[in-house]
Amino acid sequence: MAGTRAGAIARAERCFDEGAYLERLRALVAVPTESQLPDSEPALRRYCEETLPALMRDMAFDQVVLENPKKGRGPVFVATRIEDPSLPTVLVYGHGDVVRGLKGKWSDGMDPWAVTVRGDKWYGRGTVDNKGQHLIAIEALRAVMAERGGRLGFNAKVLVETGEEQGSPGLRGLLQAEKDRLAADVFIGLDGPRQTTFMPEMKLGARGGVAFDLRVHLRDHAHHSGHWGGVLTDPGFVLAHALASITDRNGRIQVEGWTPAAMPPSVKRAIGELVFEDIPGLPEGDPAWGEPGLTKAEKIFGWTSVIVLAQITGHPDAPTNAVQGEARARLQVRHCADVPGDSIVPALRRHLDAKGFPEVEIIPVMERDMFGASRTDPDDPWVGMVAGSMARTTNRAPNIVPNSSGSNPSDMFLEELGTPVIWIPNSYAGCNQHGPDEHALAPLLREGLGLMAGIWWDIGEGRVPGKR
């Protein structure tokens, strides 16, 4: 049975139209895989040992559950199908963990662990982040195999981890230990929202995140403001002046080494070609804030940002008439691959010392394992191949985003496996991921199935760099 590309796409779309996709999504969402909770491991293990194996049981993949190198963290599911070692190998990524369900806070009493269909919106925790998205990849693989009479035409390895919402603890160590098992020519993951609801999209990495506290500790106790005000140094003002030295009045970063020397030409070009959609309810950008001369898109996808997450001195809930002994602020820097993450804190230390703030301590914090910055070059041949496939399916070139504005584990796969990293998001900015009422848009799920069936078909046809 030779089959056709159009036939594979039609099979994937029928999976949606006839209800099979929804039925399988309900089974995935029903498992409360809240990795942020301390007692989550049994549910994470169930997802890897029971739910996913049942989903892929009839697909002739070799399945294994790998233990996390970090004790107490969730396992990793890997399903492998090697049709011929000479064929290209794709590593397909998803994450089975979700943020807290927040049961009781959803509208109209909706259950986060059940899929509720209301028009084009499918509600449930994980419908977009990320169970509904890795289900798209798996069902598209199934459709291509059926159309080709039981073959993909390439090798596939499906990896579903269970710690992404906690920064993927242990994943890097697992990639190092299982490098041969997970070796591939390209990484393709499905996660995140896209910039528009009307055109397909690719993301090629992520900005990195570095968080730290700035602390000014001058004395162990507060002292009466009437007796000591104007005599004792006020840590609140010292910290305020230190913070003010980090950016100017309009948010332009003043710390040498925090911003790229320049945006790579391929990155600048890709950002300049992005198409955006206004989503009701989202804030407008402040044009005068940040690096002058950059567009909003360049500030988000090609530059560095710094924000104050929290700031405190004294007791804001019950202020006392006293000169405080300490002030503290937590900051977060988001940076692209052009600025090494491990240079952020040393650069700030040099800056504060030069500005006369040696008493301001910098205390790195790790609320969760932060991802590093990463980016596949927009000119990489695999990017061109996948973009071409998406254009053939939709008759429209996709948005190519050099790196996500949020976080993902791209850096681990780029650095440990050496694979180009490509993300294909199938959600939108208004999906409420991480909050109550998380939902998928049904048309994007259906479109995603067709897009992925087209990509899998084209890879199986040999439309790949350096293989045939």
Side-chain angles (χ1 to χ4, degrees), residues 299-451:
K299 292 175 184 178
I300 294 172
F301 300 113
W303 209 248
T304 306
S305 67
V306 58
I307 61 170
V308 179
L309 299 178
Q311 184 176 348
I312 189 171
T313 186
H315 306 280
D317 55 335
T320 57
N321 295 325
V323 180
Q324 301 301 318
E326 180 176 299
R328 182 185 289 255
R330 178 157 298 181
L331 279 67
Q332 185 187 81
V333 175
R334 296 277 185 164
H335 63 99
C336 295
D338 311 294
V339 177
D342 58 8
S343 72
I344 297 293
V345 169
L348 180 59
R349 181 72 272 161
R350 292 191 298 271
H351 170 86
L352 292 174
D353 289 347
K355 294 294 182 180
F357 298 108
E359 70 272 52
V360 179
E361 299 176 68
I362 307 173
I363 306 170
V365 297
M366 196 63 67
E367 293 179 300
R368 53 164 243 182
D369 293 341
M370 294 294 291
F371 296 117
S374 56
R375 184 172 59 223
T376 297
D377 191 321
D379 287 341
D380 186 280
W382 273 101
V383 174
M385 177 267 148
V386 174
S389 176
M390 297 172 84
R392 279 191 291 278
T393 301
T394 63
N395 295 315
R396 181 166 192 169
N399 262 335
I400 300 178
V401 183
N403 44 252
S404 170
S405 52
S407 297
N408 61 49
S410 297
D411 61 314
M412 302 183 193
F413 292 93
L414 279 165
E415 293 166 9
E416 303 303 336
L417 301 183
T419 60
V421 169
I422 297 172
W423 297 90
I424 302 174
N426 297 276
S427 183
Y428 79 116
C431 68
N432 290 348
Q433 69 182 81
H434 289 198
D437 297 352
E438 176 184 343
H439 62 274
L441 290 182
L444 297 189
L445 298 176
R446 187 178 189 276
E447 181 184 73
L449 285 161
L451 283 169

Side-chain angles (χ1 to χ4, degrees), residues 190-212:
L190 284 69
D191 201 6
R194 25 193 249 195
Q195 308 306 310
T196 77
T197 57
F198 54 79
M199 65 187 295
E201 181 168 304
M202 302 164 57
K203 290 186 171 79
L204 306 180
R207 286 205 294 182
V210 178
F212 50 85

Side-chain angles (χ1 to χ4, degrees), residues 163-320:
E164 192 271 351
E165 299 294 359
Q166 289 292 291
S168 299
L171 180 59
R172 186 180 293 275
L174 184 138
L175 295 178
Q176 292 169 345
E178 301 288 349
K179 191 168 186 175
D180 292 340
R181 185 197 296 271
L182 300 174
D185 296 292
V186 66
F187 166 110
I188 296 180
L190 284 69
D191 201 6
R194 25 193 249 195
Q195 308 306 310
T196 77
T197 57
F198 54 79
M199 65 187 295
E201 181 168 304
M202 302 164 57
K203 290 186 171 79
L204 306 180
R207 286 205 294 182
V210 178
F212 50 85
D213 283 353
L214 295 185
R215 177 176 179 254
V216 179
H217 181 81
L218 301 181
R219 59 194 71 89
D220 291 335
H221 304 288
H223 296 275
H224 191 289
S225 59
H227 304 322
W228 297 102
V231 176
L232 293 178
T233 303
D234 189 321
F237 281 115
V238 173
L239 178 60
H241 281 282
L243 288 172
S245 79
I246 292 174
T247 78
D248 68 12
R249 173 62 180 82
N250 295 310
R252 185 180 190 180
I253 291 173
Q254 304 294 297
V255 180
E256 186 176 351
W258 272 18
T259 57
M263 268 183 267
S266 62
V267 172
K268 190 173 181 66
R269 183 181 67 251
I271 294 174
E273 293 173 352
L274 292 177
V275 177
F276 296 91
E277 178 181 13
D278 290 330
I279 303 295
L282 297 182
E284 293 290 330
D286 298 318
W289 188 261
E291 185 70 17
L294 298 186
T295 65
K296 176 184 174 182
E298 288 171 336
K299 292 175 184 178
I300 294 172
F301 300 113
W303 209 248
T304 306
S305 67
V306 58
I307 61 170
V308 179
L309 299 178
Q311 184 176 348
I312 189 171
T313 186
H315 306 280
D317 55 335
T320 57

